[in-house]
Amino acid sequence: MDRLKDGLGFLLADVSRLARRAFEQRIEGSSLTHAQARALVYLSRSEGLRQVELAELLDVQPITLTRLVDQLADTGLVERRPDPADRRAHQLFLTAAARAHLMAIEEVALSIRTDALRGIDAHQAAILLAVLRKMRDNLARR
């Protein structure tokens, strides 16, 4: 039974759940939810994404993303612009106000990473991250 508990999928899910919980606790005082923070981070990496593309990256339904983007737009963190290639679609861009939130997200993420990697030397951490990237890339190809 312990083999199941410590299987790859369970370990990854547990680490993800615990990291999400730590993020929510540490970002207290901010108006951002975890989902909103993730959307801002993805947009910071690739401004101009269409809503459907961001929904795919976040692994949410387009209607769920629409509500999420509505909230971010209402708080002045994201703006929608018409997609010049498709008049039915919108591209998403961060506003200047989003930058302060991204800095706070980065600080919290760094503190969680520090805690998560405690007792793991730099070489082991580098290997861990390289292996996780490779696993992600392998699964993304399917």
Side-chain angles (χ1 to χ4, degrees):
M1 200 61 131
D2 283 339
R3 283 190 5 231
L4 289 178
K5 183 179 109 185
D6 286 338
L8 178 62
F10 281 96
L11 286 171
L12 290 172
D14 286 346
V15 168
S16 179
R17 176 180 49 80
L18 292 167
R20 185 173 47 255
R21 183 182 299 159
F23 179 86
E24 289 166 354
Q25 291 169 345
R26 294 177 196 194
I27 201 76
E28 279 189 37
S30 169
S31 59
L32 289 180
T33 66
H34 184 260
Q36 291 169 336
R38 286 185 66 224
L40 289 178
V41 170
Y42 274 108
L43 281 175
S44 74
R45 294 175 183 169
S46 229
E47 282 196 83
L49 285 174
R50 291 181 21 218
Q51 287 188 195
V52 68
E53 294 167 330
L54 183 57
E56 187 174 309
L57 287 170
L58 294 172
D59 199 25
V60 298
Q61 294 297 313
I63 188 68
T64 301
L65 182 77
T66 298
R67 286 191 293 268
L68 182 69
V69 172
D70 286 346
Q71 294 165 351
L72 291 170
D74 289 346
T75 57
L77 300 178
V78 170
E79 65 179 34
R80 290 179 174 102
R81 296 182 196 162
D83 184 343
D86 182 353
R87 66 183 186 161
R88 299 166 297 162
H90 290 94
Q91 293 176 297
L92 302 172
F93 294 87
L94 297 175
T95 65
R99 302 297 170 202
H101 289 279
L102 285 166
M103 288 173 43
I105 291 166
E106 189 174 348
E107 285 178 27
V108 169
L110 180 59
S111 74
I112 292 168
R113 180 180 173 153
T114 299
D115 288 349
L117 294 176
R118 186 172 288 119
I120 299 171
D121 68 41
H123 179 70
Q124 291 172 317
I127 291 170
L128 170 65
L129 293 174
V131 168
L132 288 172
R133 281 187 206 100
K134 182 64 176 168
M135 290 170 62
R136 178 195 59 203
D137 295 346
N138 287 345
L139 293 171
R141 284 193 192 105
R142 299 190 125 246

Short mmCIF file of all heavy atoms in Angstrom, two decimals, residues 46-114:
data_model
loop_
_atom_site.label_atom_id
_atom_site.label_comp_id
_atom_site.label_asym_id
_atom_site.label_seq_id
_atom_site.Cartn_x
_atom_site.Cartn_y
_atom_site.Cartn_z
N SER A 46 3.72 35.37 -21.74
CA SER A 46 3.27 35.36 -23.13
C SER A 46 2.09 36.31 -23.32
O SER A 46 0.97 35.88 -23.56
CB SER A 46 2.83 33.94 -23.47
OG SER A 46 3.38 33.48 -24.64
N GLU A 47 2.36 37.60 -23.23
CA GLU A 47 1.27 38.55 -23.42
C GLU A 47 0.73 38.44 -24.84
O GLU A 47 1.45 38.12 -25.77
CB GLU A 47 1.75 39.98 -23.15
CG GLU A 47 1.83 40.27 -21.67
CD GLU A 47 1.91 41.75 -21.39
OE1 GLU A 47 0.84 42.39 -21.36
OE2 GLU A 47 3.04 42.24 -21.19
N GLY A 48 -0.56 38.70 -24.95
CA GLY A 48 -1.20 38.63 -26.25
C GLY A 48 -1.85 37.28 -26.52
O GLY A 48 -2.38 37.05 -27.61
N LEU A 49 -1.81 36.40 -25.51
CA LEU A 49 -2.50 35.12 -25.68
C LEU A 49 -3.98 35.36 -25.89
O LEU A 49 -4.56 36.29 -25.33
CB LEU A 49 -2.35 34.25 -24.42
CG LEU A 49 -1.02 33.57 -24.17
CD1 LEU A 49 -1.04 32.89 -22.80
CD2 LEU A 49 -0.73 32.55 -25.24
N ARG A 50 -4.59 34.50 -26.70
CA ARG A 50 -6.05 34.54 -26.82
C ARG A 50 -6.64 33.83 -25.60
O ARG A 50 -5.99 32.98 -24.98
CB ARG A 50 -6.49 33.86 -28.11
CG ARG A 50 -6.07 34.68 -29.33
CD ARG A 50 -6.47 34.11 -30.65
NE ARG A 50 -7.56 33.17 -30.59
CZ ARG A 50 -7.64 32.06 -31.33
NH1 ARG A 50 -6.71 31.77 -32.19
NH2 ARG A 50 -8.67 31.26 -31.22
N GLN A 51 -7.86 34.17 -25.27
CA GLN A 51 -8.49 33.57 -24.08
C GLN A 51 -8.52 32.05 -24.16
O GLN A 51 -8.26 31.37 -23.17
CB GLN A 51 -9.91 34.14 -23.90
CG GLN A 51 -9.90 35.55 -23.42
CD GLN A 51 -11.28 36.06 -23.05
OE1 GLN A 51 -11.45 37.25 -22.92
NE2 GLN A 51 -12.27 35.22 -22.88
N VAL A 52 -8.80 31.52 -25.33
CA VAL A 52 -8.88 30.06 -25.47
C VAL A 52 -7.51 29.42 -25.23
O VAL A 52 -7.42 28.32 -24.66
CB VAL A 52 -9.48 29.66 -26.84
CG1 VAL A 52 -8.56 30.01 -27.98
CG2 VAL A 52 -9.86 28.20 -26.85
N GLU A 53 -6.44 30.10 -25.62
CA GLU A 53 -5.09 29.58 -25.39
C GLU A 53 -4.74 29.59 -23.90
O GLU A 53 -4.16 28.64 -23.39
CB GLU A 53 -4.06 30.42 -26.16
CG GLU A 53 -4.19 30.31 -27.66
CD GLU A 53 -3.40 31.37 -28.41
OE1 GLU A 53 -3.21 32.49 -27.88
OE2 GLU A 53 -2.98 31.06 -29.54
N LEU A 54 -5.13 30.66 -23.22
CA LEU A 54 -4.88 30.73 -21.78
C LEU A 54 -5.70 29.68 -21.03
O LEU A 54 -5.21 29.05 -20.10
CB LEU A 54 -5.16 32.13 -21.24
CG LEU A 54 -4.87 32.36 -19.76
CD1 LEU A 54 -3.41 32.04 -19.42
CD2 LEU A 54 -5.23 33.79 -19.36
N ALA A 55 -6.92 29.46 -21.46
CA ALA A 55 -7.76 28.43 -20.83
C ALA A 55 -7.09 27.06 -20.95
O ALA A 55 -7.08 26.28 -20.00
CB ALA A 55 -9.15 28.40 -21.48
N GLU A 56 -6.51 26.79 -22.10
CA GLU A 56 -5.83 25.51 -22.31
C GLU A 56 -4.61 25.39 -21.38
O GLU A 56 -4.40 24.34 -20.77
CB GLU A 56 -5.41 25.37 -23.76
CG GLU A 56 -4.86 24.01 -24.09
CD GLU A 56 -4.58 23.86 -25.58
OE1 GLU A 56 -5.49 24.16 -26.38
OE2 GLU A 56 -3.46 23.44 -25.92
N LEU A 57 -3.83 26.45 -21.28
CA LEU A 57 -2.65 26.42 -20.42
C LEU A 57 -3.03 26.21 -18.95
O LEU A 57 -2.34 25.52 -18.21
CB LEU A 57 -1.86 27.72 -20.55
CG LEU A 57 -1.07 27.90 -21.84
CD1 LEU A 57 -0.53 29.32 -21.93
CD2 LEU A 57 0.06 26.88 -21.93
N LEU A 58 -4.13 26.83 -18.53
CA LEU A 58 -4.57 26.72 -17.14
C LEU A 58 -5.39 25.46 -16.90
O LEU A 58 -5.75 25.16 -15.77
CB LEU A 58 -5.39 27.96 -16.75
CG LEU A 58 -4.64 29.27 -16.71
CD1 LEU A 58 -5.59 30.43 -16.49
CD2 LEU A 58 -3.57 29.24 -15.64
N ASP A 59 -5.72 24.75 -17.97
CA ASP A 59 -6.52 23.53 -17.89
C ASP A 59 -7.89 23.80 -17.28
O ASP A 59 -8.33 23.12 -16.35
CB ASP A 59 -5.77 22.44 -17.12
CG ASP A 59 -6.32 21.05 -17.39
OD1 ASP A 59 -6.91 20.85 -18.47
OD2 ASP A 59 -6.17 20.17 -16.51
N VAL A 60 -8.54 24.86 -17.80
CA VAL A 60 -9.90 25.19 -17.38
C VAL A 60 -10.77 25.35 -18.61
O VAL A 60 -10.27 25.56 -19.72
CB VAL A 60 -9.95 26.49 -16.52
CG1 VAL A 60 -9.17 26.33 -15.23
CG2 VAL A 60 -9.49 27.70 -17.30
N GLN A 61 -12.06 25.28 -18.41
CA GLN A 61 -13.00 25.47 -19.50
C GLN A 61 -13.01 26.95 -19.90
O GLN A 61 -12.81 27.83 -19.06
CB GLN A 61 -14.41 25.05 -19.07
CG GLN A 61 -14.55 23.57 -18.81
CD GLN A 61 -14.29 22.76 -20.06
OE1 GLN A 61 -14.80 23.06 -21.13
NE2 GLN A 61 -13.48 21.72 -19.91
N PRO A 62 -13.24 27.24 -21.18
CA PRO A 62 -13.26 28.64 -21.63
C PRO A 62 -14.23 29.53 -20.83
O PRO A 62 -13.91 30.68 -20.54
CB PRO A 62 -13.68 28.54 -23.10
CG PRO A 62 -13.15 27.20 -23.53
CD PRO A 62 -13.35 26.31 -22.32
N ILE A 63 -15.39 29.00 -20.44
CA ILE A 63 -16.34 29.81 -19.68
C ILE A 63 -15.78 30.15 -18.30
O ILE A 63 -15.97 31.25 -17.78
CB ILE A 63 -17.73 29.12 -19.57
CG1 ILE A 63 -18.75 30.07 -18.94
CG2 ILE A 63 -17.65 27.83 -18.78
CD1 ILE A 63 -19.10 31.25 -19.81
N THR A 64 -15.04 29.22 -17.71
CA THR A 64 -14.40 29.47 -16.41
C THR A 64 -13.35 30.56 -16.57
O THR A 64 -13.24 31.46 -15.73
CB THR A 64 -13.76 28.18 -15.87
OG1 THR A 64 -14.78 27.19 -15.74
CG2 THR A 64 -13.08 28.40 -14.54
N LEU A 65 -12.58 30.48 -17.64
CA LEU A 65 -11.56 31.50 -17.87
C LEU A 65 -12.20 32.86 -18.12
O LEU A 65 -11.68 33.88 -17.66
CB LEU A 65 -10.65 31.14 -19.05
CG LEU A 65 -9.57 32.21 -19.23
CD1 LEU A 65 -8.49 32.05 -18.18
CD2 LEU A 65 -9.02 32.21 -20.60
N THR A 66 -13.31 32.89 -18.82
CA THR A 66 -13.99 34.17 -19.08
C THR A 66 -14.32 34.87 -17.77
O THR A 66 -14.07 36.06 -17.62
CB THR A 66 -15.27 33.94 -19.92
OG1 THR A 66 -14.89 33.38 -21.18
CG2 THR A 66 -16.01 35.24 -20.15
N ARG A 67 -14.85 34.12 -16.80
CA ARG A 67 -15.16 34.71 -15.49
C ARG A 67 -13.89 35.19 -14.80
O ARG A 67 -13.87 36.26 -14.19
CB ARG A 67 -15.91 33.71 -14.62
CG ARG A 67 -17.36 33.51 -15.05
CD ARG A 67 -18.16 32.72 -14.03
NE ARG A 67 -17.71 31.33 -13.90
CZ ARG A 67 -18.20 30.31 -14.59
NH1 ARG A 67 -19.17 30.51 -15.45
NH2 ARG A 67 -17.73 29.09 -14.41
N LEU A 68 -12.83 34.39 -14.89
CA LEU A 68 -11.56 34.74 -14.28
C LEU A 68 -11.00 36.03 -14.90
O LEU A 68 -10.56 36.94 -14.18
CB LEU A 68 -10.57 33.58 -14.45
CG LEU A 68 -9.20 33.73 -13.83
CD1 LEU A 68 -9.29 33.70 -12.31
CD2 LEU A 68 -8.30 32.61 -14.30
N VAL A 69 -11.03 36.11 -16.22
CA VAL A 69 -10.52 37.31 -16.90
C VAL A 69 -11.42 38.51 -16.60
O VAL A 69 -10.93 39.62 -16.43
CB VAL A 69 -10.38 37.07 -18.42
CG1 VAL A 69 -10.06 38.35 -19.16
CG2 VAL A 69 -9.30 36.02 -18.68
N ASP A 70 -12.73 38.29 -16.50
CA ASP A 70 -13.64 39.38 -16.10
C ASP A 70 -13.21 39.97 -14.76
O ASP A 70 -13.15 41.19 -14.60
CB ASP A 70 -15.08 38.88 -15.98
CG ASP A 70 -15.75 38.63 -17.32
OD1 ASP A 70 -15.22 39.07 -18.37
OD2 ASP A 70 -16.82 37.96 -17.31
N GLN A 71 -12.89 39.10 -13.80
CA GLN A 71 -12.46 39.56 -12.48
C GLN A 71 -11.15 40.35 -12.58
O GLN A 71 -11.02 41.41 -11.97
CB GLN A 71 -12.27 38.38 -11.53
CG GLN A 71 -13.53 37.63 -11.20
CD GLN A 71 -13.26 36.26 -10.57
OE1 GLN A 71 -12.13 35.79 -10.53
NE2 GLN A 71 -14.32 35.62 -10.10
N LEU A 72 -10.20 39.83 -13.34
CA LEU A 72 -8.91 40.52 -13.49
C LEU A 72 -9.07 41.84 -14.23
O LEU A 72 -8.40 42.83 -13.90
CB LEU A 72 -7.91 39.60 -14.21
CG LEU A 72 -7.45 38.38 -13.41
CD1 LEU A 72 -6.67 37.42 -14.30
CD2 LEU A 72 -6.63 38.80 -12.20
N ALA A 73 -9.95 41.88 -15.19
CA ALA A 73 -10.19 43.13 -15.93
C ALA A 73 -10.91 44.14 -15.03
O ALA A 73 -10.57 45.33 -15.05
CB ALA A 73 -11.02 42.84 -17.19
N ASP A 74 -11.87 43.67 -14.24
CA ASP A 74 -12.60 44.57 -13.35
C ASP A 74 -11.68 45.21 -12.31
O ASP A 74 -11.94 46.33 -11.85
CB ASP A 74 -13.73 43.83 -12.63
CG ASP A 74 -14.88 43.47 -13.55
OD1 ASP A 74 -14.93 44.01 -14.68
OD2 ASP A 74 -15.72 42.63 -13.16
N THR A 75 -10.62 44.50 -11.91
CA THR A 75 -9.68 45.05 -10.94
C THR A 75 -8.53 45.81 -11.61
O THR A 75 -7.61 46.26 -10.93
CB THR A 75 -9.11 43.95 -10.01
OG1 THR A 75 -8.49 42.94 -10.80
CG2 THR A 75 -10.20 43.34 -9.16
N GLY A 76 -8.58 45.91 -12.93
CA GLY A 76 -7.60 46.70 -13.66
C GLY A 76 -6.25 46.03 -13.86
O GLY A 76 -5.25 46.71 -14.09
N LEU A 77 -6.20 44.69 -13.80
CA LEU A 77 -4.94 43.98 -13.95
C LEU A 77 -4.71 43.44 -15.36
O LEU A 77 -3.57 43.20 -15.75
CB LEU A 77 -4.85 42.85 -12.93
CG LEU A 77 -4.93 43.28 -11.46
CD1 LEU A 77 -4.88 42.06 -10.55
CD2 LEU A 77 -3.84 44.27 -11.14
N VAL A 78 -5.79 43.23 -16.10
CA VAL A 78 -5.72 42.65 -17.43
C VAL A 78 -6.65 43.44 -18.35
O VAL A 78 -7.69 43.92 -17.92
CB VAL A 78 -6.16 41.16 -17.40
CG1 VAL A 78 -6.33 40.60 -18.79
CG2 VAL A 78 -5.17 40.33 -16.61
N GLU A 79 -6.24 43.57 -19.58
CA GLU A 79 -7.15 44.16 -20.56
C GLU A 79 -7.27 43.25 -21.77
O GLU A 79 -6.33 42.55 -22.15
CB GLU A 79 -6.70 45.56 -20.98
CG GLU A 79 -5.41 45.64 -21.73
CD GLU A 79 -5.06 47.07 -22.11
OE1 GLU A 79 -5.37 48.01 -21.36
OE2 GLU A 79 -4.45 47.23 -23.18
N ARG A 80 -8.48 43.24 -22.31
CA ARG A 80 -8.75 42.49 -23.53
C ARG A 80 -8.61 43.44 -24.71
O ARG A 80 -9.08 44.57 -24.65
CB ARG A 80 -10.18 41.96 -23.52
CG ARG A 80 -10.47 40.88 -22.53
CD ARG A 80 -11.96 40.51 -22.65
NE ARG A 80 -12.32 39.38 -21.84
CZ ARG A 80 -12.94 39.47 -20.67
NH1 ARG A 80 -13.27 40.63 -20.16
NH2 ARG A 80 -13.25 38.38 -20.00
N ARG A 81 -8.00 42.93 -25.77
CA ARG A 81 -7.90 43.70 -27.01
C ARG A 81 -8.36 42.79 -28.14
O ARG A 81 -8.10 41.59 -28.12
CB ARG A 81 -6.47 44.14 -27.28
CG ARG A 81 -5.91 45.08 -26.23
CD ARG A 81 -4.51 45.50 -26.59
NE ARG A 81 -3.84 46.08 -25.44
CZ ARG A 81 -2.53 46.22 -25.35
NH1 ARG A 81 -1.73 45.81 -26.33
NH2 ARG A 81 -1.99 46.76 -24.27
N PRO A 82 -9.03 43.36 -29.13
CA PRO A 82 -9.47 42.52 -30.26
C PRO A 82 -8.27 41.86 -30.93
O PRO A 82 -7.22 42.48 -31.09
CB PRO A 82 -10.14 43.51 -31.21
CG PRO A 82 -10.43 44.72 -30.38
CD PRO A 82 -9.42 44.75 -29.28
N ASP A 83 -8.44 40.61 -31.30
CA ASP A 83 -7.39 39.88 -32.03
C ASP A 83 -7.45 40.32 -33.48
O ASP A 83 -8.47 40.12 -34.14
CB ASP A 83 -7.64 38.38 -31.89
CG ASP A 83 -6.56 37.53 -32.54
OD1 ASP A 83 -5.79 38.05 -33.36
OD2 ASP A 83 -6.50 36.33 -32.21
N PRO A 84 -6.37 40.92 -33.99
CA PRO A 84 -6.41 41.39 -35.38
C PRO A 84 -6.59 40.26 -36.40
O PRO A 84 -7.07 40.50 -37.51
CB PRO A 84 -5.05 42.07 -35.58
CG PRO A 84 -4.24 41.80 -34.37
CD PRO A 84 -5.11 41.18 -33.33
N ALA A 85 -6.25 39.03 -36.01
CA ALA A 85 -6.37 37.91 -36.93
C ALA A 85 -7.74 37.23 -36.87
O ALA A 85 -8.09 36.45 -37.75
CB ALA A 85 -5.29 36.87 -36.64
N ASP A 86 -8.53 37.54 -35.82
CA ASP A 86 -9.83 36.89 -35.65
C ASP A 86 -10.74 37.84 -34.87
O ASP A 86 -10.60 37.97 -33.66
CB ASP A 86 -9.66 35.56 -34.90
CG ASP A 86 -10.96 34.80 -34.72
OD1 ASP A 86 -12.05 35.35 -35.06
OD2 ASP A 86 -10.91 33.66 -34.23
N ARG A 87 -11.64 38.47 -35.55
CA ARG A 87 -12.46 39.51 -34.90
C ARG A 87 -13.37 38.96 -33.80
O ARG A 87 -13.90 39.72 -33.01
CB ARG A 87 -13.27 40.26 -35.94
CG ARG A 87 -14.29 39.42 -36.62
CD ARG A 87 -15.01 40.19 -37.68
NE ARG A 87 -16.08 39.33 -38.18
CZ ARG A 87 -17.11 39.73 -38.83
NH1 ARG A 87 -17.25 41.00 -39.09
NH2 ARG A 87 -18.02 38.88 -39.24
N ARG A 88 -13.57 37.64 -33.76
CA ARG A 88 -14.40 37.05 -32.70
C ARG A 88 -13.62 36.82 -31.42
O ARG A 88 -14.19 36.60 -30.37
CB ARG A 88 -14.97 35.71 -33.16
CG ARG A 88 -15.86 35.79 -34.38
CD ARG A 88 -16.09 34.42 -34.96
NE ARG A 88 -14.78 33.89 -35.39
CZ ARG A 88 -14.52 32.62 -35.63
NH1 ARG A 88 -15.45 31.72 -35.50
NH2 ARG A 88 -13.32 32.24 -36.02
N ALA A 89 -12.29 36.88 -31.51
CA ALA A 89 -11.43 36.53 -30.37
C ALA A 89 -10.81 37.79 -29.76
O ALA A 89 -10.76 38.85 -30.38
CB ALA A 89 -10.33 35.58 -30.82
N HIS A 90 -10.35 37.62 -28.52
CA HIS A 90 -9.64 38.69 -27.82
C HIS A 90 -8.28 38.20 -27.38
O HIS A 90 -8.11 37.04 -27.01
CB HIS A 90 -10.43 39.13 -26.58
CG HIS A 90 -11.67 39.85 -26.89
ND1 HIS A 90 -12.89 39.24 -26.98
CD2 HIS A 90 -11.89 41.17 -27.15
CE1 HIS A 90 -13.81 40.13 -27.28
NE2 HIS A 90 -13.23 41.31 -27.39
N GLN A 91 -7.33 39.10 -27.41
CA GLN A 91 -6.02 38.84 -26.85
C GLN A 91 -5.97 39.49 -25.47
O GLN A 91 -6.65 40.49 -25.22
CB GLN A 91 -4.91 39.43 -27.73
CG GLN A 91 -4.79 38.75 -29.08
CD GLN A 91 -3.75 39.44 -29.92
OE1 GLN A 91 -3.89 40.60 -30.26
NE2 GLN A 91 -2.69 38.71 -30.24
N LEU A 92 -5.14 38.93 -24.60
CA LEU A 92 -5.05 39.41 -23.23
C LEU A 92 -3.70 40.04 -22.97
O LEU A 92 -2.66 39.48 -23.34
CB LEU A 92 -5.29 38.25 -22.26
CG LEU A 92 -6.63 37.53 -22.42
CD1 LEU A 92 -6.68 36.29 -21.56
CD2 LEU A 92 -7.77 38.47 -22.08
N PHE A 93 -3.72 41.18 -22.29
CA PHE A 93 -2.51 41.91 -21.97
C PHE A 93 -2.57 42.36 -20.51
O PHE A 93 -3.64 42.70 -20.01
CB PHE A 93 -2.35 43.13 -22.88
CG PHE A 93 -2.11 42.76 -24.32
CD1 PHE A 93 -3.18 42.53 -25.17
CD2 PHE A 93 -0.82 42.61 -24.80
CE1 PHE A 93 -2.97 42.18 -26.49
CE2 PHE A 93 -0.60 42.26 -26.12
CZ PHE A 93 -1.67 42.03 -26.96
N LEU A 94 -1.42 42.38 -19.87
CA LEU A 94 -1.32 42.88 -18.50
C LEU A 94 -1.31 44.40 -18.52
O LEU A 94 -0.82 45.02 -19.46
CB LEU A 94 -0.02 42.39 -17.86
CG LEU A 94 0.11 40.88 -17.69
CD1 LEU A 94 1.50 40.54 -17.15
CD2 LEU A 94 -0.96 40.34 -16.77
N THR A 95 -1.83 44.98 -17.46
CA THR A 95 -1.74 46.42 -17.29
C THR A 95 -0.54 46.71 -16.39
O THR A 95 0.04 45.80 -15.79
CB THR A 95 -3.01 46.98 -16.61
OG1 THR A 95 -3.09 46.45 -15.29
CG2 THR A 95 -4.27 46.62 -17.41
N ALA A 96 -0.20 47.97 -16.28
CA ALA A 96 0.91 48.37 -15.41
C ALA A 96 0.63 47.97 -13.96
O ALA A 96 1.55 47.60 -13.22
CB ALA A 96 1.16 49.87 -15.53
N ALA A 97 -0.63 48.00 -13.56
CA ALA A 97 -0.99 47.65 -12.17
C ALA A 97 -0.69 46.19 -11.85
O ALA A 97 -0.49 45.83 -10.68
CB ALA A 97 -2.47 47.93 -11.94
N ALA A 98 -0.63 45.33 -12.85
CA ALA A 98 -0.36 43.91 -12.62
C ALA A 98 1.08 43.66 -12.18
O ALA A 98 1.36 42.65 -11.53
CB ALA A 98 -0.66 43.11 -13.89
N ARG A 99 1.98 44.56 -12.50
CA ARG A 99 3.40 44.36 -12.19
C ARG A 99 3.65 44.19 -10.70
O ARG A 99 4.44 43.34 -10.29
CB ARG A 99 4.25 45.50 -12.74
CG ARG A 99 4.14 45.71 -14.24
CD ARG A 99 4.63 44.54 -15.03
NE ARG A 99 4.26 44.74 -16.45
CZ ARG A 99 4.16 43.77 -17.30
NH1 ARG A 99 4.40 42.52 -16.95
NH2 ARG A 99 3.80 44.01 -18.55
N ALA A 100 3.02 45.00 -9.86
CA ALA A 100 3.21 44.89 -8.41
C ALA A 100 2.72 43.53 -7.91
O ALA A 100 3.34 42.91 -7.04
CB ALA A 100 2.48 46.02 -7.69
N HIS A 101 1.61 43.07 -8.47
CA HIS A 101 1.08 41.76 -8.08
C HIS A 101 2.04 40.65 -8.50
O HIS A 101 2.25 39.69 -7.75
CB HIS A 101 -0.30 41.53 -8.68
CG HIS A 101 -1.36 42.38 -8.06
ND1 HIS A 101 -1.98 42.06 -6.87
CD2 HIS A 101 -1.91 43.55 -8.46
CE1 HIS A 101 -2.87 42.98 -6.57
NE2 HIS A 101 -2.85 43.90 -7.52
N LEU A 102 2.63 40.78 -9.67
CA LEU A 102 3.59 39.78 -10.14
C LEU A 102 4.82 39.74 -9.25
O LEU A 102 5.37 38.66 -8.99
CB LEU A 102 3.97 40.04 -11.60
CG LEU A 102 2.91 39.65 -12.61
CD1 LEU A 102 3.23 40.26 -13.97
CD2 LEU A 102 2.77 38.15 -12.70
N MET A 103 5.24 40.88 -8.76
CA MET A 103 6.39 40.90 -7.85
C MET A 103 6.05 40.18 -6.55
O MET A 103 6.86 39.41 -6.03
CB MET A 103 6.84 42.34 -7.59
CG MET A 103 7.53 42.95 -8.79
SD MET A 103 7.93 44.72 -8.65
CE MET A 103 8.57 44.86 -7.02
N ALA A 104 4.84 40.39 -6.03
CA ALA A 104 4.41 39.70 -4.80
C ALA A 104 4.31 38.20 -5.04
O ALA A 104 4.73 37.40 -4.19
CB ALA A 104 3.07 40.27 -4.33
N ILE A 105 3.78 37.81 -6.19
CA ILE A 105 3.67 36.39 -6.54
C ILE A 105 5.06 35.78 -6.59
O ILE A 105 5.29 34.68 -6.08
CB ILE A 105 2.94 36.21 -7.89
CG1 ILE A 105 1.47 36.59 -7.75
CG2 ILE A 105 3.10 34.78 -8.42
CD1 ILE A 105 0.76 36.78 -9.09
N GLU A 106 6.00 36.48 -7.20
CA GLU A 106 7.37 35.97 -7.31
C GLU A 106 8.02 35.80 -5.94
O GLU A 106 8.70 34.81 -5.69
CB GLU A 106 8.20 36.91 -8.19
CG GLU A 106 9.56 36.35 -8.53
CD GLU A 106 10.32 37.22 -9.52
OE1 GLU A 106 9.72 38.13 -10.12
OE2 GLU A 106 11.52 36.97 -9.69
N GLU A 107 7.79 36.75 -5.05
CA GLU A 107 8.35 36.64 -3.69
C GLU A 107 7.79 35.42 -2.96
O GLU A 107 8.53 34.68 -2.32
CB GLU A 107 8.05 37.91 -2.89
CG GLU A 107 8.88 39.10 -3.28
CD GLU A 107 8.50 40.34 -2.48
OE1 GLU A 107 8.00 40.21 -1.35
OE2 GLU A 107 8.70 41.45 -3.01
N VAL A 108 6.49 35.23 -3.05
CA VAL A 108 5.86 34.08 -2.39
C VAL A 108 6.35 32.79 -3.01
O VAL A 108 6.69 31.83 -2.30
CB VAL A 108 4.32 34.19 -2.46
CG1 VAL A 108 3.66 32.90 -2.02
CG2 VAL A 108 3.83 35.35 -1.60
N ALA A 109 6.43 32.74 -4.33
CA ALA A 109 6.90 31.53 -5.01
C ALA A 109 8.33 31.19 -4.60
O ALA A 109 8.66 30.02 -4.38
CB ALA A 109 6.80 31.71 -6.53
N LEU A 110 9.16 32.20 -4.47
CA LEU A 110 10.55 31.96 -4.06
C LEU A 110 10.62 31.41 -2.63
O LEU A 110 11.38 30.49 -2.36
CB LEU A 110 11.37 33.25 -4.18
CG LEU A 110 12.83 33.15 -3.78
CD1 LEU A 110 13.56 32.11 -4.64
CD2 LEU A 110 13.51 34.51 -3.92
N SER A 111 9.79 31.94 -1.75
CA SER A 111 9.81 31.43 -0.37
C SER A 111 9.31 29.99 -0.30
O SER A 111 9.85 29.19 0.46
CB SER A 111 9.00 32.34 0.57
OG SER A 111 7.62 32.19 0.39
N ILE A 112 8.33 29.66 -1.12
CA ILE A 112 7.82 28.28 -1.15
C ILE A 112 8.87 27.36 -1.75
O ILE A 112 9.11 26.26 -1.23
CB ILE A 112 6.50 28.20 -1.94
CG1 ILE A 112 5.40 28.94 -1.17
CG2 ILE A 112 6.10 26.75 -2.20
CD1 ILE A 112 4.14 29.17 -1.97
N ARG A 113 9.52 27.80 -2.79
CA ARG A 113 10.58 26.98 -3.41
C ARG A 113 11.70 26.74 -2.41
O ARG A 113 12.22 25.62 -2.31
CB ARG A 113 11.11 27.68 -4.66
CG ARG A 113 12.20 26.90 -5.36
CD ARG A 113 12.69 27.63 -6.59
NE ARG A 113 13.84 26.96 -7.15
CZ ARG A 113 14.17 27.00 -8.41
NH1 ARG A 113 13.45 27.67 -9.27
NH2 ARG A 113 15.23 26.36 -8.83
N THR A 114 12.08 27.77 -1.66
CA THR A 114 13.13 27.63 -0.65
C THR A 114 12.72 26.58 0.39
O THR A 114 13.52 25.70 0.74
CB THR A 114 13.40 28.98 0.04
OG1 THR A 114 13.86 29.90 -0.96
CG2 THR A 114 14.44 28.86 1.13
#
